Amino acid sequence: MNPVWWQPWNDQALKSASQLGKPILLSIGYSACHWCHVMAEESFSDSSTADLMNDLFFCIKLDKEERPDIDAIYQSALESLGGRPGWPLTIILTPNLEPYIGGTYFPPVPKHGLPAFKDFLTNASQLFVTSPEDAKQKGSDLLAQIRRKAASTSVGAVSNELLNFVSNGILENFDPVYGGFGQDAKFPQTGLIENLWSAHLRTGHSNYRTAVIETLSSICNRSLFDHVRGGFFRYTVDDAWSVPHFEKMLYDNALLVSLLSTVHKFEPLPVFEDCTTRTCEWLIREMQLSSGGFASSLSADSPTQSDPNVLAEGIFYTCTSEEIQETLQDNSQLANQLLNFCPIDPVTQTFIVNKADKKEASSLNEAAVINQILKRFSDLQDRRIPPRKDIKVLTDWNGLVIRCLADAGAQFDRPDWLDVAIDTYQYISSLAADDGSFLAHCSIDSEPYGAAILDDYANMAQAALSLYELTGDDRFVADVINWVSELESGYCYSEHGGYLLSKESASKFGYSTARETATPSGNGTMVGVLSRLFSIVGDEIYRSRAESILST
Protein backbone atom coordinates (compact mmCIF):
# COMPACT_ATOMS: atom_id res chain seq x y z
CA MET A 1 0.00 0.00 0.00
CA ASN A 2 1.36 3.42 -0.89
CA PRO A 3 0.57 6.51 1.24
CA VAL A 4 -1.56 8.32 -1.36
CA TRP A 5 -5.21 8.71 -0.28
CA TRP A 6 -6.59 7.08 -3.39
CA GLN A 7 -10.33 7.19 -3.95
CA PRO A 8 -12.38 5.14 -6.43
CA TRP A 9 -14.20 6.55 -9.43
CA ASN A 10 -17.82 6.53 -8.30
CA ASP A 11 -20.63 9.01 -7.71
CA GLN A 12 -19.86 9.42 -4.01
CA ALA A 13 -16.16 10.19 -4.60
CA LEU A 14 -16.90 12.59 -7.45
CA LYS A 15 -19.45 14.40 -5.27
CA SER A 16 -16.85 14.70 -2.48
CA ALA A 17 -14.30 16.12 -4.92
CA SER A 18 -16.82 18.71 -6.09
CA GLN A 19 -17.64 19.72 -2.51
CA LEU A 20 -13.95 20.09 -1.58
CA GLY A 21 -13.30 22.24 -4.63
CA LYS A 22 -9.86 20.67 -5.17
CA PRO A 23 -8.61 19.69 -8.60
CA ILE A 24 -8.70 15.93 -9.22
CA LEU A 25 -5.56 13.95 -9.96
CA LEU A 26 -6.81 11.01 -12.02
CA SER A 27 -4.32 8.15 -12.44
CA ILE A 28 -5.38 5.45 -14.90
CA GLY A 29 -3.40 2.25 -15.33
CA TYR A 30 -3.76 -1.52 -15.33
CA SER A 31 -2.33 -4.48 -13.47
CA ALA A 32 0.18 -5.71 -16.07
CA CYS A 33 1.51 -2.23 -16.96
CA HIS A 34 5.28 -2.06 -16.34
CA TRP A 35 5.51 1.75 -16.25
CA CYS A 36 2.52 1.91 -13.92
CA HIS A 37 4.54 -0.22 -11.49
CA VAL A 38 7.59 1.98 -11.98
CA MET A 39 5.70 5.20 -11.24
CA ALA A 40 4.01 3.63 -8.23
CA GLU A 41 7.37 2.58 -6.83
CA GLU A 42 9.21 5.82 -7.61
CA SER A 43 6.54 8.38 -6.74
CA PHE A 44 3.34 7.06 -5.18
CA SER A 45 5.29 5.09 -2.56
CA ASP A 46 7.42 8.11 -1.68
CA SER A 47 6.02 9.80 1.42
CA SER A 48 6.97 13.37 0.44
CA THR A 49 5.42 12.95 -3.03
CA ALA A 50 2.31 11.38 -1.52
CA ASP A 51 2.00 14.27 0.95
CA LEU A 52 2.11 16.73 -1.93
CA MET A 53 -0.52 14.78 -3.87
CA ASN A 54 -2.81 14.50 -0.85
CA ASP A 55 -2.43 18.18 -0.01
CA LEU A 56 -3.01 19.64 -3.46
CA PHE A 57 -5.42 17.18 -5.10
CA PHE A 58 -8.31 14.82 -4.68
CA CYS A 59 -6.62 11.63 -5.91
CA ILE A 60 -8.55 8.99 -7.85
CA LYS A 61 -7.09 5.68 -9.06
CA LEU A 62 -8.84 3.91 -11.95
CA ASP A 63 -8.25 0.58 -13.68
CA LYS A 64 -8.58 1.26 -17.41
CA GLU A 65 -9.71 -2.32 -18.00
CA GLU A 66 -12.61 -1.87 -15.60
CA ARG A 67 -13.57 1.50 -17.08
CA PRO A 68 -12.44 1.66 -20.70
CA ASP A 69 -15.12 4.29 -21.37
CA ILE A 70 -13.59 6.78 -18.91
CA ASP A 71 -10.09 5.92 -20.09
CA ALA A 72 -11.09 6.57 -23.73
CA ILE A 73 -12.40 10.04 -22.88
CA TYR A 74 -9.28 11.18 -21.04
CA GLN A 75 -6.87 9.56 -23.50
CA SER A 76 -8.59 11.65 -26.18
CA ALA A 77 -8.25 14.69 -23.91
CA LEU A 78 -4.52 14.12 -23.48
CA GLU A 79 -4.15 13.81 -27.25
CA SER A 80 -5.99 17.12 -27.69
CA LEU A 81 -3.60 18.66 -25.14
CA GLY A 82 -0.73 17.64 -27.41
CA GLY A 83 0.35 14.61 -25.38
CA ARG A 84 0.91 11.05 -26.48
CA PRO A 85 -1.73 8.65 -25.13
CA GLY A 86 -0.60 5.75 -22.96
CA TRP A 87 -0.39 4.37 -19.45
CA PRO A 88 -0.06 5.31 -16.72
CA LEU A 89 -2.32 8.18 -17.71
CA THR A 90 -1.87 11.15 -15.36
CA ILE A 91 -4.53 13.76 -15.99
CA ILE A 92 -5.61 16.72 -13.86
CA LEU A 93 -9.30 17.64 -13.82
CA THR A 94 -11.33 20.47 -12.37
CA PRO A 95 -13.80 19.39 -9.66
CA ASN A 96 -16.39 19.21 -12.49
CA LEU A 97 -14.24 16.68 -14.40
CA GLU A 98 -12.90 19.02 -17.10
CA PRO A 99 -9.30 18.02 -18.04
CA TYR A 100 -6.83 20.91 -18.30
CA ILE A 101 -3.30 19.40 -18.08
CA GLY A 102 -1.83 15.92 -18.16
CA GLY A 103 0.73 13.39 -19.29
CA THR A 104 1.59 9.73 -18.83
CA TYR A 105 4.64 8.56 -16.87
CA PHE A 106 6.52 11.26 -14.94
CA PRO A 107 9.95 10.48 -13.39
CA PRO A 108 10.90 11.57 -9.85
CA VAL A 109 13.65 13.82 -11.30
CA PRO A 110 13.75 15.58 -14.69
CA LYS A 111 14.96 13.28 -17.47
CA HIS A 112 14.22 12.29 -21.08
CA GLY A 113 12.60 15.69 -21.63
CA LEU A 114 10.05 15.08 -18.88
CA PRO A 115 9.63 17.26 -15.78
CA ALA A 116 9.93 15.78 -12.32
CA PHE A 117 6.58 14.57 -11.06
CA LYS A 118 6.62 16.97 -8.10
CA ASP A 119 7.23 19.90 -10.46
CA PHE A 120 4.33 18.78 -12.62
CA LEU A 121 2.08 18.56 -9.55
CA THR A 122 3.05 22.03 -8.33
CA ASN A 123 2.51 23.57 -11.75
CA ALA A 124 -0.87 21.84 -12.21
CA SER A 125 -2.04 23.05 -8.79
CA GLN A 126 -0.91 26.63 -9.42
CA LEU A 127 -2.75 26.73 -12.76
CA PHE A 128 -5.98 25.87 -10.97
CA VAL A 129 -5.46 28.06 -7.88
CA THR A 130 -4.45 31.19 -9.78
CA SER A 131 -6.90 30.84 -12.69
CA PRO A 132 -9.68 28.36 -11.88
CA GLU A 133 -11.99 29.78 -14.54
CA ASP A 134 -9.29 29.50 -17.18
CA ALA A 135 -8.68 25.85 -16.24
CA LYS A 136 -12.41 25.16 -16.32
CA GLN A 137 -12.80 26.85 -19.72
CA LYS A 138 -9.82 25.01 -21.18
CA GLY A 139 -11.20 21.67 -19.99
CA SER A 140 -14.70 22.49 -21.19
CA ASP A 141 -13.37 23.44 -24.63
CA LEU A 142 -11.38 20.20 -24.81
CA LEU A 143 -14.44 18.06 -24.07
CA ALA A 144 -16.49 20.02 -26.59
CA GLN A 145 -13.78 19.45 -29.20
CA ILE A 146 -13.80 15.71 -28.49
CA ARG A 147 -17.60 15.63 -28.75
CA ARG A 148 -17.50 17.36 -32.12
CA LYS A 149 -14.91 14.92 -33.40
CA ALA A 150 -16.88 11.92 -32.14
CA ALA A 151 -20.11 13.25 -33.60
CA SER A 152 -18.74 14.03 -37.06
CA THR A 153 -20.26 11.75 -39.68
CA SER A 154 -19.80 11.15 -43.37
CA VAL A 155 -22.87 9.34 -44.60
CA GLY A 156 -22.26 7.25 -47.71
CA ALA A 157 -21.76 3.80 -49.15
CA VAL A 158 -18.69 1.70 -48.40
CA SER A 159 -17.20 1.03 -51.83
CA ASN A 160 -14.40 -1.21 -53.05
CA GLU A 161 -12.48 1.95 -53.86
CA LEU A 162 -12.71 3.08 -50.25
CA LEU A 163 -11.69 -0.35 -48.93
CA ASN A 164 -8.69 -0.47 -51.27
CA PHE A 165 -7.71 3.08 -50.27
CA VAL A 166 -7.60 2.05 -46.61
CA SER A 167 -5.71 -1.19 -47.28
CA ASN A 168 -3.14 0.58 -49.46
CA GLY A 169 -2.63 3.17 -46.72
CA ILE A 170 -1.87 0.36 -44.26
CA LEU A 171 0.45 -1.32 -46.77
CA GLU A 172 2.51 1.86 -47.14
CA ASN A 173 3.64 1.44 -43.53
CA PHE A 174 4.59 -2.23 -43.95
CA ASP A 175 8.16 -3.16 -42.96
CA PRO A 176 9.50 -5.36 -45.82
CA VAL A 177 12.51 -6.48 -43.77
CA TYR A 178 10.94 -7.76 -40.54
CA GLY A 179 7.22 -7.56 -41.23
CA GLY A 180 4.74 -5.58 -39.18
CA PHE A 181 4.17 -1.86 -39.32
CA GLY A 182 6.28 1.14 -38.39
CA GLN A 183 9.73 1.40 -36.89
CA ASP A 184 11.22 0.96 -33.40
CA ALA A 185 8.73 -0.72 -31.04
CA LYS A 186 6.39 -3.17 -32.74
CA PHE A 187 2.89 -4.24 -31.70
CA PRO A 188 1.04 -7.09 -33.46
CA GLN A 189 -1.75 -4.72 -34.62
CA THR A 190 -4.01 -7.63 -35.48
CA GLY A 191 -6.71 -5.42 -36.99
CA LEU A 192 -4.31 -4.09 -39.64
CA ILE A 193 -3.16 -7.61 -40.58
CA GLU A 194 -6.78 -8.78 -40.78
CA ASN A 195 -7.58 -5.83 -43.06
CA LEU A 196 -4.78 -6.77 -45.46
CA TRP A 197 -5.85 -10.41 -45.46
CA SER A 198 -9.39 -9.38 -46.38
CA ALA A 199 -7.93 -7.18 -49.12
CA HIS A 200 -6.01 -10.19 -50.50
CA LEU A 201 -9.14 -12.34 -50.53
CA ARG A 202 -11.14 -9.51 -52.10
CA THR A 203 -8.69 -8.55 -54.83
CA GLY A 204 -6.31 -11.47 -55.23
CA HIS A 205 -3.35 -9.08 -55.17
CA SER A 206 -0.20 -10.80 -53.92
CA ASN A 207 1.26 -7.73 -52.18
CA TYR A 208 -1.42 -7.94 -49.48
CA ARG A 209 -0.79 -11.67 -49.02
CA THR A 210 2.99 -11.16 -48.80
CA ALA A 211 2.61 -8.55 -46.05
CA VAL A 212 0.36 -10.83 -44.02
CA ILE A 213 2.47 -13.99 -44.37
CA GLU A 214 5.74 -12.18 -43.68
CA THR A 215 4.31 -10.42 -40.62
CA LEU A 216 2.70 -13.52 -39.11
CA SER A 217 5.82 -15.60 -39.81
CA SER A 218 8.02 -13.05 -38.00
CA ILE A 219 5.57 -12.80 -35.12
CA CYS A 220 5.51 -16.59 -34.73
CA ASN A 221 9.23 -17.29 -35.22
CA ARG A 222 10.69 -14.39 -33.26
CA SER A 223 10.41 -13.23 -29.67
CA LEU A 224 6.90 -11.80 -29.66
CA PHE A 225 5.92 -15.46 -29.26
CA ASP A 226 6.95 -17.24 -26.07
CA HIS A 227 8.58 -20.39 -27.49
CA VAL A 228 9.03 -21.93 -24.06
CA ARG A 229 5.57 -21.63 -22.50
CA GLY A 230 3.37 -20.55 -25.40
CA GLY A 231 1.36 -17.36 -25.83
CA PHE A 232 2.29 -13.97 -27.22
CA PHE A 233 3.85 -11.03 -25.40
CA ARG A 234 2.34 -7.55 -25.73
CA TYR A 235 4.98 -6.03 -28.02
CA THR A 236 8.70 -5.85 -28.75
CA VAL A 237 10.81 -2.80 -28.04
CA ASP A 238 12.69 -3.17 -31.36
CA ASP A 239 11.61 -3.42 -35.00
CA ALA A 240 13.05 -6.95 -35.48
CA TRP A 241 10.59 -8.58 -33.02
CA SER A 242 13.61 -9.68 -30.95
CA VAL A 243 13.29 -8.04 -27.51
CA PRO A 244 9.83 -8.40 -25.99
CA HIS A 245 8.10 -6.26 -23.43
CA PHE A 246 7.05 -9.17 -21.27
CA GLU A 247 3.45 -8.56 -20.29
CA LYS A 248 0.94 -11.01 -21.76
CA MET A 249 -2.57 -9.73 -22.46
CA LEU A 250 -5.59 -11.97 -22.88
CA TYR A 251 -6.98 -10.00 -25.82
CA ASP A 252 -3.73 -10.08 -27.85
CA ASN A 253 -3.60 -13.84 -27.63
CA ALA A 254 -7.28 -14.29 -28.48
CA LEU A 255 -7.08 -12.01 -31.52
CA LEU A 256 -3.89 -13.63 -32.83
CA VAL A 257 -5.30 -17.16 -32.43
CA SER A 258 -8.42 -16.20 -34.42
CA LEU A 259 -6.32 -14.55 -37.13
CA LEU A 260 -3.85 -17.45 -37.41
CA SER A 261 -6.75 -19.92 -37.60
CA THR A 262 -8.32 -17.90 -40.42
CA VAL A 263 -5.12 -17.53 -42.46
CA HIS A 264 -4.19 -21.19 -41.91
CA LYS A 265 -7.28 -22.24 -43.89
CA PHE A 266 -5.62 -20.81 -47.00
CA GLU A 267 -1.93 -20.94 -46.01
CA PRO A 268 -1.41 -24.10 -43.91
CA LEU A 269 2.09 -23.31 -42.70
CA PRO A 270 3.30 -25.56 -39.84
CA VAL A 271 4.46 -22.58 -37.77
CA PHE A 272 0.92 -21.14 -37.78
CA GLU A 273 -0.55 -24.39 -36.48
CA ASP A 274 2.22 -24.79 -33.90
CA CYS A 275 1.81 -21.27 -32.48
CA THR A 276 -1.97 -21.54 -32.45
CA THR A 277 -1.87 -24.90 -30.70
CA ARG A 278 0.66 -23.83 -28.09
CA THR A 279 -1.18 -20.56 -27.42
CA CYS A 280 -4.50 -22.33 -26.89
CA GLU A 281 -2.77 -24.78 -24.56
CA TRP A 282 -1.19 -21.87 -22.66
CA LEU A 283 -4.54 -20.07 -22.38
CA ILE A 284 -6.23 -23.13 -20.91
CA ARG A 285 -3.29 -24.14 -18.70
CA GLU A 286 -2.22 -20.77 -17.30
CA MET A 287 -5.02 -18.25 -17.88
CA GLN A 288 -8.20 -20.25 -17.27
CA LEU A 289 -9.39 -19.78 -13.68
CA SER A 290 -10.81 -22.51 -11.51
CA SER A 291 -13.76 -20.26 -10.63
CA GLY A 292 -14.57 -19.82 -14.33
CA GLY A 293 -13.52 -17.56 -17.19
CA PHE A 294 -10.05 -16.39 -18.18
CA ALA A 295 -7.76 -13.99 -16.32
CA SER A 296 -6.95 -10.62 -17.90
CA SER A 297 -3.15 -10.60 -18.01
CA LEU A 298 0.23 -11.64 -16.73
CA SER A 299 2.48 -8.82 -15.56
CA ALA A 300 5.73 -7.93 -17.30
CA ASP A 301 7.42 -7.85 -13.89
CA SER A 302 8.32 -10.79 -11.67
CA PRO A 303 9.78 -11.02 -8.15
CA THR A 304 13.50 -11.73 -8.01
CA GLN A 305 14.71 -14.92 -6.36
CA SER A 306 17.02 -13.02 -4.02
CA ASP A 307 14.31 -10.63 -2.80
CA PRO A 308 10.65 -11.35 -3.60
CA ASN A 309 9.80 -7.73 -2.74
CA VAL A 310 11.92 -6.50 -5.67
CA LEU A 311 10.35 -6.72 -9.13
CA ALA A 312 12.30 -7.00 -12.37
CA GLU A 313 10.97 -6.90 -15.90
CA GLY A 314 11.10 -10.20 -17.80
CA ILE A 315 13.23 -12.01 -15.25
CA PHE A 316 10.88 -15.01 -15.27
CA TYR A 317 11.38 -15.61 -19.01
CA THR A 318 15.10 -14.94 -19.56
CA CYS A 319 18.13 -17.12 -18.92
CA THR A 320 21.89 -16.73 -18.60
CA SER A 321 24.45 -18.32 -20.90
CA GLU A 322 25.28 -20.80 -18.12
CA GLU A 323 21.63 -21.81 -17.83
CA ILE A 324 21.46 -22.24 -21.60
CA GLN A 325 24.42 -24.61 -21.70
CA GLU A 326 23.11 -26.56 -18.72
CA THR A 327 19.69 -26.91 -20.36
CA LEU A 328 20.96 -27.90 -23.81
CA GLN A 329 23.15 -30.68 -22.37
CA ASP A 330 24.37 -32.83 -25.31
CA ASN A 331 22.11 -31.22 -27.92
CA SER A 332 23.92 -27.93 -28.47
CA GLN A 333 24.61 -28.49 -32.18
CA LEU A 334 20.98 -29.18 -33.12
CA ALA A 335 19.68 -26.47 -30.81
CA ASN A 336 21.97 -23.87 -32.34
CA GLN A 337 20.67 -24.82 -35.80
CA LEU A 338 16.99 -24.54 -34.95
CA LEU A 339 16.88 -22.15 -31.99
CA ASN A 340 18.15 -18.61 -31.57
CA PHE A 341 19.18 -17.23 -28.18
CA CYS A 342 18.53 -13.52 -28.47
CA PRO A 343 20.39 -11.18 -26.05
CA ILE A 344 17.99 -9.12 -23.94
CA ASP A 345 20.21 -7.18 -21.55
CA PRO A 346 23.95 -6.64 -22.17
CA VAL A 347 24.46 -5.69 -18.52
CA THR A 348 22.97 -8.83 -16.97
CA GLN A 349 23.94 -11.02 -19.95
CA THR A 350 20.51 -12.57 -20.24
CA PHE A 351 18.87 -14.18 -23.27
CA ILE A 352 15.47 -15.29 -24.52
CA VAL A 353 14.77 -18.37 -26.60
CA ASN A 354 13.27 -18.09 -30.07
CA LYS A 355 13.25 -20.04 -33.32
CA ALA A 356 15.92 -19.64 -35.98
CA ASP A 357 14.32 -17.84 -38.92
CA LYS A 358 12.66 -20.14 -41.48
CA LYS A 359 14.36 -23.26 -40.16
CA GLU A 360 12.25 -26.27 -39.22
CA ALA A 361 13.11 -29.66 -37.81
CA SER A 362 13.74 -32.08 -40.71
CA SER A 363 12.60 -35.20 -38.85
CA LEU A 364 10.30 -36.28 -36.05
CA ASN A 365 13.39 -37.07 -33.97
CA GLU A 366 14.76 -33.53 -34.34
CA ALA A 367 11.36 -32.07 -33.46
CA ALA A 368 11.17 -34.30 -30.37
CA VAL A 369 14.62 -33.16 -29.22
CA ILE A 370 13.73 -29.47 -29.64
CA ASN A 371 10.48 -29.98 -27.73
CA GLN A 372 12.45 -31.73 -24.97
CA ILE A 373 14.85 -28.77 -24.77
CA LEU A 374 11.98 -26.28 -24.59
CA LYS A 375 10.42 -28.40 -21.84
CA ARG A 376 13.65 -28.13 -19.85
CA PHE A 377 13.57 -24.33 -20.18
CA SER A 378 9.95 -24.45 -18.97
CA ASP A 379 11.01 -26.55 -15.97
CA LEU A 380 13.72 -23.97 -15.24
CA GLN A 381 11.08 -21.22 -15.19
CA ASP A 382 8.80 -23.29 -12.96
CA ARG A 383 11.43 -23.05 -10.21
CA ARG A 384 11.10 -19.24 -10.23
CA ILE A 385 8.45 -16.95 -8.79
CA PRO A 386 5.92 -16.39 -11.59
CA PRO A 387 4.69 -12.98 -12.74
CA ARG A 388 1.54 -11.61 -11.12
CA LYS A 389 -1.71 -12.71 -12.72
CA ASP A 390 -4.62 -10.29 -12.86
CA ILE A 391 -7.55 -12.60 -12.04
CA LYS A 392 -10.13 -10.00 -13.04
CA VAL A 393 -12.47 -11.62 -15.59
CA LEU A 394 -13.50 -9.15 -18.28
CA THR A 395 -16.59 -10.01 -20.30
CA ASP A 396 -15.44 -8.35 -23.53
CA TRP A 397 -12.03 -10.04 -23.52
CA ASN A 398 -13.54 -13.40 -22.59
CA GLY A 399 -15.85 -13.01 -25.57
CA LEU A 400 -12.73 -12.79 -27.76
CA VAL A 401 -11.30 -15.93 -26.14
CA ILE A 402 -14.53 -17.88 -26.64
CA ARG A 403 -14.49 -16.98 -30.32
CA CYS A 404 -10.79 -17.84 -30.76
CA LEU A 405 -11.14 -21.26 -29.12
CA ALA A 406 -14.16 -21.96 -31.32
CA ASP A 407 -12.29 -20.82 -34.46
CA ALA A 408 -9.14 -22.80 -33.62
CA GLY A 409 -11.08 -25.85 -32.47
CA ALA A 410 -12.89 -26.01 -35.81
CA GLN A 411 -9.77 -25.36 -37.91
CA PHE A 412 -7.48 -27.82 -36.13
CA ASP A 413 -10.09 -30.47 -35.22
CA ARG A 414 -9.86 -29.91 -31.48
CA PRO A 415 -13.35 -30.50 -30.04
CA ASP A 416 -11.87 -30.11 -26.54
CA TRP A 417 -11.17 -26.44 -27.29
CA LEU A 418 -14.74 -26.00 -28.48
CA ASP A 419 -15.94 -27.56 -25.21
CA VAL A 420 -13.91 -24.99 -23.24
CA ALA A 421 -15.39 -22.22 -25.38
CA ILE A 422 -18.95 -23.36 -24.66
CA ASP A 423 -18.29 -23.78 -20.92
CA THR A 424 -16.76 -20.29 -20.75
CA TYR A 425 -19.67 -18.82 -22.69
CA GLN A 426 -22.16 -20.35 -20.25
CA TYR A 427 -20.17 -19.02 -17.29
CA ILE A 428 -19.80 -15.45 -18.59
CA SER A 429 -23.41 -15.17 -19.76
CA SER A 430 -24.63 -16.34 -16.33
CA LEU A 431 -23.03 -13.40 -14.49
CA ALA A 432 -25.86 -10.87 -14.60
CA ALA A 433 -25.18 -7.27 -13.57
CA ASP A 434 -26.77 -5.59 -10.55
CA ASP A 435 -28.59 -3.08 -12.75
CA GLY A 436 -30.70 -5.82 -14.33
CA SER A 437 -28.90 -5.87 -17.68
CA PHE A 438 -27.95 -9.18 -19.24
CA LEU A 439 -24.19 -8.93 -18.73
CA ALA A 440 -21.71 -7.50 -16.22
CA HIS A 441 -18.43 -6.01 -17.37
CA CYS A 442 -16.17 -7.62 -14.72
CA SER A 443 -16.11 -10.39 -12.17
CA ILE A 444 -13.70 -11.72 -9.57
CA ASP A 445 -14.28 -15.17 -8.06
CA SER A 446 -17.72 -15.29 -9.73
CA GLU A 447 -18.80 -12.00 -8.13
CA PRO A 448 -19.94 -9.71 -10.98
CA TYR A 449 -19.52 -5.95 -10.85
CA GLY A 450 -19.51 -3.00 -13.22
CA ALA A 451 -22.12 -2.06 -15.79
CA ALA A 452 -21.73 -3.71 -19.17
CA ILE A 453 -20.22 -1.71 -22.01
CA LEU A 454 -20.84 -1.96 -25.75
CA ASP A 455 -17.79 -4.19 -26.25
CA ASP A 456 -19.16 -6.77 -23.79
CA TYR A 457 -22.32 -7.25 -25.84
CA ALA A 458 -20.50 -7.01 -29.18
CA ASN A 459 -17.77 -9.57 -28.42
CA MET A 460 -20.10 -12.00 -26.67
CA ALA A 461 -22.58 -11.75 -29.56
CA GLN A 462 -19.78 -12.42 -32.05
CA ALA A 463 -18.72 -15.45 -29.99
CA ALA A 464 -22.32 -16.68 -29.74
CA LEU A 465 -22.77 -16.61 -33.52
CA SER A 466 -19.52 -18.55 -33.99
CA LEU A 467 -20.78 -21.18 -31.53
CA TYR A 468 -24.14 -21.31 -33.32
CA GLU A 469 -22.47 -21.89 -36.68
CA LEU A 470 -20.44 -24.76 -35.22
CA THR A 471 -23.18 -26.41 -33.12
CA GLY A 472 -26.51 -25.37 -34.67
CA ASP A 473 -27.84 -24.63 -31.17
CA ASP A 474 -30.55 -21.94 -31.45
CA ARG A 475 -30.01 -20.70 -27.88
CA PHE A 476 -26.93 -18.80 -29.05
CA VAL A 477 -29.00 -16.88 -31.61
CA ALA A 478 -31.66 -16.16 -28.97
CA ASP A 479 -29.00 -14.64 -26.72
CA VAL A 480 -27.73 -12.41 -29.52
CA ILE A 481 -31.25 -11.17 -30.26
CA ASN A 482 -31.71 -10.25 -26.59
CA TRP A 483 -28.35 -8.47 -26.44
CA VAL A 484 -29.03 -6.48 -29.59
CA SER A 485 -32.37 -5.45 -28.09
CA GLU A 486 -30.54 -4.27 -24.96
CA LEU A 487 -28.15 -2.17 -27.06
CA GLU A 488 -31.03 -0.70 -29.03
CA SER A 489 -32.90 0.34 -25.88
CA GLY A 490 -30.00 1.70 -23.81
CA TYR A 491 -26.94 2.37 -25.97
CA CYS A 492 -28.21 3.91 -29.21
CA TYR A 493 -26.50 7.08 -30.38
CA SER A 494 -29.63 8.25 -32.15
CA GLU A 495 -28.22 11.57 -33.38
CA HIS A 496 -25.25 10.12 -35.19
CA GLY A 497 -25.73 6.38 -35.63
CA GLY A 498 -23.91 3.53 -33.93
CA TYR A 499 -23.86 2.68 -30.24
CA LEU A 500 -22.55 4.42 -27.15
CA LEU A 501 -19.59 2.83 -25.40
CA SER A 502 -21.35 3.03 -22.03
CA LYS A 503 -24.42 4.58 -20.48
CA GLU A 504 -22.46 6.52 -17.84
CA SER A 505 -19.91 8.10 -20.16
CA ALA A 506 -22.76 9.33 -22.33
CA SER A 507 -24.66 10.83 -19.40
CA LYS A 508 -21.57 12.54 -17.91
CA PHE A 509 -19.84 13.61 -21.10
CA GLY A 510 -22.49 13.48 -23.80
CA TYR A 511 -20.63 11.47 -26.42
CA SER A 512 -19.18 8.09 -27.27
CA THR A 513 -16.27 6.85 -29.33
CA ALA A 514 -16.00 4.34 -32.17
CA ARG A 515 -12.21 4.38 -32.05
CA GLU A 516 -10.27 1.22 -32.86
CA THR A 517 -7.61 0.57 -30.20
CA ALA A 518 -5.67 -2.58 -29.34
CA THR A 519 -9.05 -4.32 -29.30
CA PRO A 520 -11.67 -4.08 -32.06
CA SER A 521 -14.19 -1.24 -31.96
CA GLY A 522 -17.51 -2.38 -30.51
CA ASN A 523 -19.33 -0.58 -33.30
CA GLY A 524 -17.18 -2.28 -35.93
CA THR A 525 -17.82 -5.68 -34.34
CA MET A 526 -21.56 -4.99 -34.26
CA VAL A 527 -21.62 -4.42 -38.04
CA GLY A 528 -20.47 -8.02 -38.42
CA VAL A 529 -22.84 -9.30 -35.72
CA LEU A 530 -25.88 -7.57 -37.23
CA SER A 531 -24.97 -8.71 -40.75
CA ARG A 532 -24.61 -12.34 -39.66
CA LEU A 533 -27.79 -12.12 -37.60
CA PHE A 534 -29.68 -10.85 -40.65
CA SER A 535 -28.40 -13.78 -42.72
CA ILE A 536 -29.58 -16.22 -40.03
CA VAL A 537 -33.04 -14.88 -39.12
CA GLY A 538 -33.82 -12.74 -42.16
CA ASP A 539 -35.16 -9.74 -40.24
CA GLU A 540 -34.50 -6.60 -42.31
CA ILE A 541 -34.08 -4.46 -39.17
CA TYR A 542 -30.65 -6.03 -38.52
CA ARG A 543 -29.42 -5.31 -42.04
CA SER A 544 -30.70 -1.74 -41.80
CA ARG A 545 -28.95 -1.21 -38.45
CA ALA A 546 -25.65 -2.56 -39.79
CA GLU A 547 -25.86 -0.20 -42.76
CA SER A 548 -26.63 2.71 -40.44
CA ILE A 549 -23.45 2.08 -38.44
CA LEU A 550 -21.40 1.70 -41.62
CA SER A 551 -22.68 4.99 -43.00
CA THR A 552 -21.16 6.87 -40.03
Side-chain angles (χ1 to χ4, degrees), residues 524-549:
T525 300
M526 284 306 299
V527 172
V529 166
L530 292 162
S531 302
R532 292 165 76 185
L533 191 57
F534 165 71
S535 72
I536 293 169
V537 303
D539 192 330
E540 192 68 30
I541 188 66
Y542 300 127
R543 174 176 177 169
S544 174
R545 195 74 181 104
E547 290 175 343
S548 172
I549 298 173

Side-chain angles (χ1 to χ4, degrees), residues 67-237:
R67 294 304 307 266
D69 52 338
I70 303 302
D71 177 63
I73 289 164
Y74 290 118
Q75 292 286 356
S76 296
L78 179 60
E79 201 167 19
S80 296
L81 285 164
R84 183 177 180 180
W87 300 278
L89 177 63
T90 307
I91 195 109
I92 309 299
L93 320 176
T94 71
N96 292 322
L97 309 183
E98 295 107 345
Y100 66 91
I101 190 172
T104 51
Y105 163 78
F106 288 97
V109 295
K111 62 181 177 180
H112 307 310
L114 296 170
F117 186 45
K118 286 183 178 180
D119 293 339
F120 168 78
L121 295 174
T122 302
N123 180 47
S125 175
Q126 286 176 346
L127 285 174
F128 182 77
V129 171
T130 58
S131 305
E133 291 305 315
D134 288 347
K136 178 179 174 62
Q137 187 62 51
K138 182 178 182 180
S140 180
D141 290 345
L142 274 177
L143 292 178
Q145 177 184 336
I146 296 168
R147 285 190 202 100
R148 286 194 299 272
K149 189 182 296 185
S152 63
T153 60
S154 178
V155 177
V158 177
S159 64
N160 279 336
E161 290 76 16
L162 176 60
L163 295 176
N164 292 340
F165 175 79
V166 172
S167 298
N168 289 334
I170 295 170
L171 198 60
E172 288 177 2
N173 205 31
F174 171 66
D175 179 353
V177 179
Y178 298 114
F181 308 97
Q183 303 298 322
D184 301 323
K186 283 244 182 91
F187 291 77
Q189 301 198 66
T190 318
L192 301 188
I193 307 171
E194 186 177 12
N195 181 292
L196 294 183
W197 186 248
S198 296
H200 165 60
L201 297 181
R202 185 176 67 250
T203 67
H205 292 171
S206 61
N207 54 346
Y208 299 131
R209 174 194 172 276
T210 298
V212 170
I213 300 304
E214 290 296 322
T215 297
L216 290 179
S217 295
S218 289
I219 283 174
C220 289
N221 279 311
R222 290 172 174 264
S223 296
L224 190 78
F225 183 70
D226 182 353
H227 297 277
V228 173
R229 305 188 79 81
F232 293 89
F233 296 113
R234 179 71 188 94
Y235 65 94
T236 61
V237 300

Side-chain angles (χ1 to χ4, degrees), residues 264-279:
H264 186 271
K265 295 175 186 177
F266 303 89
E267 302 282 345
L269 299 179
V271 69
F272 293 171
E273 180 174 2
D274 179 61
C275 282
T276 302
T277 299
R278 299 187 64 212
T279 300

Side-chain angles (χ1 to χ4, degrees), residues 37 71 78 85 153 195 237 241 269 294 300 312 362 365 394 401 448 456 478 501 504 506 518:
H37 299 163
D71 177 63
L78 179 60
T153 60
N195 181 292
V237 300
W241 305 102
L269 299 179
F294 286 79
S362 59
N365 181 60
L394 296 167
V401 172
D456 297 323
L501 185 55
E504 182 185 344

Side-chain angles (χ1 to χ4, degrees), residues 250 292-296 392-403 424 427-428 459-460 463:
L250 186 66
F294 286 79
S296 298
K392 178 172 72 259
V393 174
L394 296 167
T395 295
D396 52 344
W397 295 4
N398 273 259
L400 296 175
V401 172
I402 295 164
R403 178 200 171 202
T424 305
Y427 173 77
I428 296 296
N459 292 349
M460 284 296 289

Side-chain angles (χ1 to χ4, degrees), residues 63 152 161 213 250 287 290 317 321 330 362 373 428 514:
D63 184 332
S152 63
E161 290 76 16
I213 300 304
L250 186 66
M287 299 301 284
S290 59
Y317 300 100
S321 56
D330 297 328
S362 59
I373 291 171
I428 296 296

